[in-house]
Amino acid sequence: MPVRATKRGAERTALARDCDVLICGASFAGLAVARELAGSGARVMVIDRYEIGERQTSACAAPTDWLRAMELTCSLRQEFEEIVVHTPYTTARWRLPWSFATFDYRELCAALAAQGGADVEFDTAKVDGRSGNTVHTDRGDLSAPLIVDALGWRRVLSNGPTIQPPNARLSRGLEVHPAGAGAEMELWIDPRYARAGYGWSFPARDEVRVGVGSFWPERHVKEPTVRLAAELGLPPDGYQGNWIPHQLRRAAEDGVFFAGDSAGHCLPVTAEGIRTAFYFGLACGRELRDAHQGRKSAAQALADYAAFSDAHEWKYRWLLRAQQAIGRLTPSRATSLLVAAFANERLADWAFRHYLAIAPPTFVRPQPLPVARAGSPAAA
């Protein structure tokens, strides 16, 4: 299990300071925001309870094209051009029009953080809440005119009511990642593991990530995760898990930008949240860049970012309806026929191209050039 990295003793100094942009959360969404601010001239501060890359909570797989577009292939572990899907009655191979890849979380986060450039400062602190433009941490207060909550489903910087599981719109996921190897990315749609949900096995070169997710948060998933690993001949080593949002929430509230799980950007049905964290994180960073450089007011940047997120609401709504329908169905021969239908390459190609288009890798732009400072060669 990860160890909290908050500094202690003589190293535990006060963290009270000001910055131009304060990003709370140093995982996929928060680091994508910082990346998009590179060279903007903004003093960017990123804080997290853990060191960058320290706390992996997902199977760490994403469309390979996203890793290429973000220049993060250094972290790639294994690539898959099809998914093998098992039901109680059949096994089908879904040939993808694009590939998925597993990656190393620590390496990806380190590479993404480096893209933020020298103007981004990082430190460890636990975020406790907010008053206006001041964020309260266990190491003191930080103030900024532009603030991002990328802390996850708890939505720490919101002043709205807190909704805890199992009443919150959350799914539950748990996995183990023992040493091992495999050649196939596999899914199980099988009530033996999850009545409403699925199991998975994602090889990552020298380890295999095996887990179970449930759309019903009250259903525990430890026992089926251990059982699935055992059936694959693997020990239940290296537990990691998390609550997974499956409904959009407001992406802007009371002067704060929300990105990633804090805005419910994880996709329903598939629980895929990494590329959407990149996608909305980049969009958020572009609005922050415009606000810092004076092309927009902070209020307009907030409104435009909220509108961008809201424009995807119908896609999320339809995926949520599909998830709810799956939750009401017992996996049966009819389910198996549906799974088998996607073995048709034309159908799979059509469906997965539309699915990727929800957050396409073409959204990634080359990193912008730094702002020329007075007296620098670029300004001459």
Side-chain angles (χ1 to χ4, degrees):
M1 295 296 289
V3 178
R4 182 177 167 186
T6 300
K7 296 176 181 177
R8 301 186 182 281
E11 292 184 346
R12 187 174 172 77
T13 56
L15 201 57
R17 70 189 73 177
D18 295 336
C19 54
D20 297 316
V21 181
L22 176 60
I23 302 170
C24 301
S27 192
F28 306 116
L31 294 176
V33 175
R35 173 195 188 274
E36 205 65 11
L37 286 165
S40 67
R43 296 171 301 149
V44 180
M45 181 77 180
V46 180
I47 58 172
D48 196 284
R49 185 175 180 178
Y50 299 95
E51 295 286 354
I52 291 175
E54 183 182 3
R55 187 171 180 261
Q56 178 178 330
T57 59
S58 80
C60 288
T64 313
D65 286 347
W66 262 96
L67 299 182
R68 292 193 185 101
M70 296 283 284
E71 299 182 356
L72 298 172
T73 53
C74 59
S75 65
L76 193 151
R77 286 294 174 268
Q78 206 162 333
E79 190 173 354
F80 307 89
E81 295 183 346
E82 64 180 15
I83 303 174
V84 180
V85 185
H86 308 280
T87 77
Y89 303 101
T90 191
T91 292
R93 291 181 177 271
W94 294 353
R95 183 76 178 179
L96 305 176
W98 39 267
S99 66
F100 261 106
T102 50
F103 59 84
D104 183 90
Y105 179 70
R106 187 179 294 273
E107 290 183 17
L108 181 140
C109 288
L112 187 54
Q115 292 179 14
D119 290 334
V120 177
E121 180 183 1
F122 172 80
D123 217 323
T124 54
K126 176 179 176 293
V127 176
D128 295 320
R130 174 181 62 92
S131 300
N133 286 344
T134 299
V135 171
H136 310 298
T137 81
D138 62 350
R139 292 180 59 196
D141 291 345
L142 295 163
S143 297
L146 300 167
I147 298 173
V148 178
D149 182 329
L151 290 165
W153 66 269
R154 289 182 177 85
R155 203 172 166 89
V156 176
L157 298 185
S158 171
N159 289 323
T162 301
I163 304 175
Q164 296 291 335
N167 297 320
R169 292 295 184 95
L170 299 167
S171 300
R172 179 196 292 266
L174 180 71
E175 73 173 11
V176 293
H177 47 107
E184 296 179 325
M185 175 177 278
E186 298 179 86
L187 296 176
W188 283 264
I189 303 175
D190 192 325
R192 293 187 304 128
Y193 306 117
R195 168 64 181 78
Y198 56 90
W200 65 86
S201 173
F202 291 179
R205 188 188 299 167
D206 55 1
E207 71 176 22
V208 182
R209 299 158 186 172
V210 179
V212 173
S214 173
F215 301 147
W216 295 345
E218 67 274 11
R219 298 294 179 93
H220 293 273
V221 291
K222 181 177 181 180
E223 187 278 330
T225 296
V226 172
R227 179 156 41 85
L228 177 56
E231 291 172 3
L232 295 174
L234 297 167
D237 296 337
Y239 285 96
Q240 62 189 32
N242 204 1
W243 296 102
I244 306 165
H246 56 238
Q247 187 172 25
L248 277 184
R249 305 179 71 180
R250 285 187 292 168
E253 175 190 315
D254 192 24
V256 175
F257 297 78
F258 293 83
D261 283 359
S262 69
H265 285 148
C266 191
L267 295 172
V269 181
T270 62
E272 190 192 356
I274 296 169
R275 70 174 164 115
T276 51
F278 289 156
Y279 178 72
F280 288 100
L282 296 178
C284 180
R286 291 168 191 172
E287 295 297 337
L288 291 164
R289 189 184 190 93
D290 284 349
H292 173 72
Q293 294 180 342
R295 288 186 290 275
K296 295 181 181 180
S297 66
Q300 188 61 56
L302 277 161
D304 289 350
Y305 174 62
F308 177 82
S309 181
D310 289 346
H312 296 73
E313 191 274 336
W314 68 272
K315 304 173 185 178
Y316 278 76
R317 184 173 67 252
W318 278 103
L319 284 173
L320 181 59
R321 287 176 178 173
Q323 176 175 301
Q324 291 167 337
I326 292 169
R328 290 190 292 268
L329 294 173
T330 301
S332 62
R333 294 190 185 277
T335 307
S336 297
L337 288 173
L338 181 61
V339 167
F342 279 88
N344 180 292
E345 288 194 25
R346 291 184 63 184
L347 177 60
D349 185 88
W350 176 86
F352 282 101
R353 287 190 187 280
H354 278 78
Y355 175 69
L356 186 65
I358 296 172
T362 52
F363 190 72
V364 183
R365 302 173 186 165
Q367 286 194 273
L369 295 172
V371 172
R373 300 180 185 276
S376 69

